[in-house]
Amino acid sequence: MRAVLDVRNLTTRFSTPTGALVAVNDVSFSLREREILGLVGESGSGKSVTLRSLIRLLPSIASQSGEVIWQGHDILKMSPKEVRAVRGGQISMIFQEPTTALNPVLPIGLQIDENLRAHTTLSHRERLNRARELMDLVGIPEAARRLAEYPHQFSGGMKQRAMIAIALASNPRLLLADEPTTALDVTIQDQILKLILDLRDELAMSVIFVTHDLGVVAATCDRMAVMYAGRIVETGTIADVFARPMHAYTRGLLGSVPRVGTERSPLMSIEGTPPGLSSIPRGCAFHPRCDFATNVCRVSQPVTETVEPEHDVACHNSLAVLEAGSPVQ
Amino acid sequence: MSDVVISAAGLRKSFPLPHGLIDRISGKVPLAVHALNDVSFTLHRGETLGIVGESGCGKSTLARCLVRLHELDQGEIHFEGTDVASLSGPARRAFNRRVQMIFQDPYSSLNPRMTVRVILTEALSVHAMRPAVEIPARIAELLDLVRLPQDSADRYPHEFSGGQRQRIGIARALAVEPEILVADELVSALDVSVQAQVVNLLLDLQQRLDLTVLFVAHDLRLVRHISHRVAVMYLGKIVEIGPTEALFAASQHPYTRALLAAAPELDPSKRSRKIAAKGELPSPIHPPKGCLFNTRCPHAFDRCYAERPQLTDRSVGHQAACHLTNFDPKDSLK
């Protein structure tokens, strides 16, 4: 299948009074048509900044390098005007906290209309009809009445549906989802995840799904990329990574999640805490917490290698990790 | 396991909404959020009882009522046979010491202006646990117990990560040598790898100190991992309670079954496109008549809209509040 998005050596730095922080470090991945890619990591791993870097949705203290090739053009080299056409148009984004992402003083209908006006050539009447269609599409009942309502009149799950309706207004080819279900209850999360899967099928778009929940990844994504301290440490299909993790961090994450049959026994935890951006260890950033670390890990940064077809890993001891086996089998 | 330490019967708690002058003049009925609607259960010595449910189901209110941070509207909580509402003076203080709570947010539950030493000294001296000269040694012991480095004592909460702060919260609760720990969403603010560390610590401490734990959480996987028994709450009521294995393997309430089906599994081969539960939680201000789950239940029939089901026995120690019985263990679950 053809790649719709190709990210090569993407690096994002923030210049702060105390020096430059590298939030995204030399990240490369590609995304195919209709594919859902899960970007997994703990807080501070750089997964959200990576997502925002793709459409240059960053504060002014950020500087970027590398390439983000979208339909043959490098987004990082586009003029501000060209970026605005892509961002919110061909590439849409939904956010974690619908309460803060929606404008509290504007009715939902107007917020959908804003996006339609910016990215389509529809007339006023057509836009109104399209807004109703979008509300139906994302499963908000009584669309006509609810278009006039304000965000505070919507429940958490309905707000997230409304945000998805806004994102879909421009017929995007790629949806960027930044922890869209983290703030929701489990039965509502289930509804939203299935909605995203249905929309992917109906609208034939690709999705990049940022989350910290491995269960969500297992239930929705086609491929996954695991991030640690600003780098992608492992990429592969869901089945491969869950069955044969090759990076010690991935293996530790999988083992940290409680699972059936091991009740009240100690979980396979990862000692220590993820490093801050200002104090990323030398060599492999994970070595202070790693059970497999050897001398080489302390001095040299492992390069990403394709160990199996479609399964890339950046670990000096990937074969030892592979041999140790997956904790979820 | 038969030794009952806490028994709760018919607990009710509601929080009145503001009822202003204009509301009164215009004759509006005062409204209230019904957080607990007739909750009864028992807690046995040495066990972990998991309380699970979605936001707004009343699980945190239940935890707070147990440690008397909220006063009940109705119902009684008995601790070793005495009604805790009747306790006063030294007896109340003794109850406060023996039943300790650990809070959800490690960022707001510790005073930012107090060092760890001051936090722990306060707990130790309020309940006169140790003479002043022995306090430093006890602090060292507590830090060791929750696996924090010894130099932590003279640092402030902001110098610690979320997981370490939660350890400080645990140390503070353990300082007064409680018998019962009420843990409200103990690890939900933490990263996955750090969650596992704190869960392991809790399991280890429970065994070493012979603690009874009430573990309140929204994460089913976690509750299943930690608990001996589990109670599922919905709109301020326990809809199902039973031994962990029985409840997860053969759940007898449609809401429990929906929760289980909705929780994403770690096994990519067990995917399903079926939606686990339609609709959303009804407002706790106007809970539905009849069964509380009737607005979302796929099996609801006439009786469910007229009569609220009570908890009835389904197997040994396993109760569910549903008019229907005999759910097929394989049916509808992934």
Side-chain angles (χ1 to χ4, degrees):
Chain A
M1 260 194 284
R2 204 163 63 91
V4 287
L5 182 77
D6 210 353
V7 179
R8 289 179 210 148
N9 312 102
L10 178 68
T11 300
T12 303
R13 287 185 180 78
F14 293 108
S15 47
T16 68
T18 48
L21 298 178
V22 186
V24 179
N25 201 341
D26 201 15
V27 162
S28 302
F29 63 90
S30 66
L31 182 71
R32 295 162 206 171
E33 255 176 65
R34 288 167 171 257
E35 183 176 58
I36 303 188
L37 174 72
L39 211 51
V40 191
E42 296 181 282
S43 35
S45 62
K47 55 194 192 303
S48 288
V49 179
T50 303
L51 203 62
R52 282 153 196 261
S53 300
L54 299 180
I55 48 172
R56 289 167 54 184
L57 200 61
L58 294 168
S60 56
I61 57 164
S63 61
Q64 289 180 270
S65 62
E67 288 176 335
V68 179
I69 310 292
W70 169 250
Q71 301 192 333
H73 302 283
D74 186 354
I75 294 181
L76 299 190
K77 290 202 179 72
M78 285 182 185
S79 71
K81 197 180 163 196
E82 288 169 318
V83 174
R84 277 201 299 277
V86 173
R87 183 205 288 153
Q90 299 158 20
I91 305 180
S92 280
M93 183 156 175
I94 54 176
F95 300 88
Q96 175 171 2
E97 199 47 78
T99 315
T100 50
L102 294 170
N103 189 333
V105 298
L106 296 181
I108 294 293
L110 195 65
Q111 300 192 43
I112 297 180
D113 193 53
E114 272 185 334
N115 203 11
L116 286 171
R117 250 186 329 204
H119 293 288
T120 64
T121 54
L122 300 176
S123 71
H124 178 74
R125 182 174 297 274
E126 288 169 331
R127 290 204 303 271
L128 197 65
N129 287 334
R130 177 80 181 125
R132 285 201 196 123
E133 264 173 45
L134 285 164
M135 297 282 271
D136 287 339
L137 187 66
V138 298
I140 302 181
E142 297 177 76
R145 182 172 65 82
R146 302 225 77 172
L147 279 173
E149 290 190 345
Y150 291 85
H152 76 268
Q153 294 167 291
F154 282 58
S155 67
M158 283 297 157
K159 271 186 242 186
Q160 196 57 271
R161 285 174 195 265
M163 193 152 71
I164 295 174
I166 296 171
L168 296 181
S170 56
N171 276 324
R173 308 310 310 145
L174 169 61
L175 182 68
L176 305 178
D178 187 4
E179 305 237 17
T181 60
T182 305
L184 305 176
D185 275 321
V186 57
T187 54
I188 309 299
Q189 162 171 290
D190 175 66
Q191 294 170 2
I192 298 289
L193 290 179
K194 280 158 193 171
L195 173 67
I196 293 176
L197 284 172
D198 289 344
L199 292 172
R200 186 269 307 255
D201 293 348
E202 268 175 61
L203 309 175
M205 46 177 196
S206 312
V207 182
I208 302 182
F209 203 108
V210 164
T211 181
H212 67 275
D213 187 334
L214 289 162
V216 169
V217 173
T220 43
C221 299
D222 303 315
R223 282 196 309 141
M224 65 193 279
V226 182
M227 288 195 74
Y228 188 79
R231 288 175 189 272
I232 289 183
V233 295
E234 183 161 5
T235 323
T237 62
I238 301 296
D240 279 350
V241 176
F242 275 75
R244 294 192 304 283
M246 292 202 275
H247 196 284
Y249 177 62
T250 316
R251 186 171 179 269
L253 268 188
L254 289 171
S256 299
V257 183
R259 66 201 166 278
V260 180
T262 61
E263 284 79 7
R264 297 193 55 81
S265 61
L267 295 167
M268 194 179 93
S269 68
I270 307 174
E271 285 308 310
T273 47
L277 286 183
S278 55
S279 55
I280 293 176
R282 273 194 64 208
C284 172
F286 187 60
H287 83 256
R289 303 176 71 193
C290 183
D291 292 337
F292 298 87
T294 46
N295 280 328
V296 62
C297 304
R298 287 173 196 95
V299 286
S300 95
Q301 164 68 41
V303 289
T304 306
E305 289 171 298
T306 306
V307 184
E308 292 174 357
E310 289 208 49
H311 196 162
D312 299 354
V313 64
C315 177
H316 290 300
N317 299 307
S318 56
L319 292 177
V321 178
L322 185 61
E323 211 156 282
S326 169
V328 292
Q329 289 306 302
Chain B
M1 284 283 258
S2 58
D3 186 7
V4 173
V5 270
I6 285 188
S7 67
L11 308 187
R12 285 181 189 275
K13 174 79 193 166
S14 54
F15 298 96
L17 292 175
H19 191 239
L21 189 59
I22 296 173
D23 293 337
R24 264 176 251 185
I25 292 169
S26 56
K28 278 194 184 148
V29 192
L31 296 175
V33 174
H34 301 283
L36 296 180
N37 300 312
D38 193 11
V39 172
S40 306
F41 66 93
T42 53
L43 184 63
H44 304 274
R45 194 175 295 283
E47 77 168 348
T48 301
L49 174 65
I51 307 274
V52 68
E54 297 181 282
S55 47
C57 73
K59 54 191 193 301
S60 291
T61 307
L62 178 64
R64 284 165 176 262
C65 284
L66 273 188
V67 295
R68 287 189 71 184
L69 279 175
H70 291 317
E71 292 300 331
L72 291 165
D73 294 341
Q74 265 183 54
E76 284 176 8
I77 297 171
H78 288 266
F79 177 56
E80 294 181 338
T82 19
D83 183 359
V84 296
S86 69
L87 298 175
S88 64
R92 167 102 199 241
R93 265 202 301 285
F95 170 76
N96 289 350
R97 180 185 72 73
R98 293 169 67 188
V99 182
Q100 282 287 314
M101 182 153 177
I102 314 169
F103 297 90
Q104 171 171 11
D105 183 357
Y107 296 87
S108 63
S109 60
L110 299 171
N111 188 331
R113 290 165 175 259
M114 287 161 88
T115 61
V116 173
R117 183 181 302 285
V118 179
I119 290 170
L120 295 177
T121 307
E122 189 186 43
L124 289 166
S125 48
V126 162
H127 286 288
M129 295 305 295
R130 291 282 192 283
V133 287
E134 289 177 26
I135 285 179
R138 176 64 179 155
I139 288 175
E141 207 176 285
L142 283 167
L143 291 176
D144 203 41
L145 198 62
V146 296
R147 295 180 214 137
L148 281 172
Q150 286 301 328
D151 64 352
S152 324
D154 295 305
R155 286 156 63 190
Y156 287 90
H158 76 261
E159 297 174 63
F160 296 93
S161 67
Q164 290 171 318
R165 282 184 217 212
Q166 220 43 326
R167 287 166 199 258
I168 299 170
I170 296 174
R172 180 174 62 180
L174 293 177
V176 298
E177 294 162 33
E179 287 151 47
I180 300 175
L181 275 187
V182 177
D184 184 10
E185 299 275 12
L186 180 69
V187 296
S188 56
L190 307 176
D191 270 322
V192 190
S193 70
V194 182
Q195 267 187 9
Q197 296 168 14
V198 177
V199 165
N200 288 347
L201 176 68
L202 184 72
L203 288 172
D204 176 47
L205 288 174
Q206 181 175 26
Q207 207 146 44
R208 279 162 60 185
L209 307 177
D210 200 17
L211 295 166
T212 306
V213 180
L214 187 83
F215 190 83
V216 178
H218 68 277
D219 185 337
L220 278 165
R221 286 187 297 236
L222 207 58
V223 167
R224 180 176 198 169
H225 188 81
I226 287 180
S227 313
H228 297 103
R229 287 196 305 139
V230 174
V232 181
M233 287 187 73
Y234 187 75
L235 275 184
K237 199 167 162 44
I238 292 180
V239 295
E240 185 165 2
I241 182 166
T244 308
E245 253 330 287
L247 190 129
F248 280 89
S251 44
Q252 293 296 317
H253 195 283
Y255 178 62
T256 314
R257 301 170 78 81
L259 268 187
L260 287 174
E265 275 192 70
L266 266 195
D267 186 345
S269 63
K270 288 191 186 157
R271 284 188 183 188
S272 145
R273 289 291 280 270
K274 202 172 139 200
I275 286 179
K278 57 176 184 168
E280 301 190 0
L281 199 73
S283 156
I285 301 169
H286 303 289
K289 289 213 165 36
C291 175
L292 294 165
F293 191 55
N294 64 24
T295 55
R296 303 172 72 185
C297 183
H299 310 290
F301 63 107
D302 302 347
R303 194 177 164 198
C304 306
Y305 298 96
E307 185 193 335
R308 185 165 297 175
Q310 297 302 316
L311 284 172
T312 51
D313 284 332
R314 302 301 161 100
S315 59
V316 183
H318 186 176
Q319 296 176 303
C322 182
H323 291 311
L324 292 171
T325 50
N326 292 327
F327 284 96
D328 182 356
K330 284 177 292 251
D331 175 47
S332 91
L333 290 181
K334 282 188 275 190

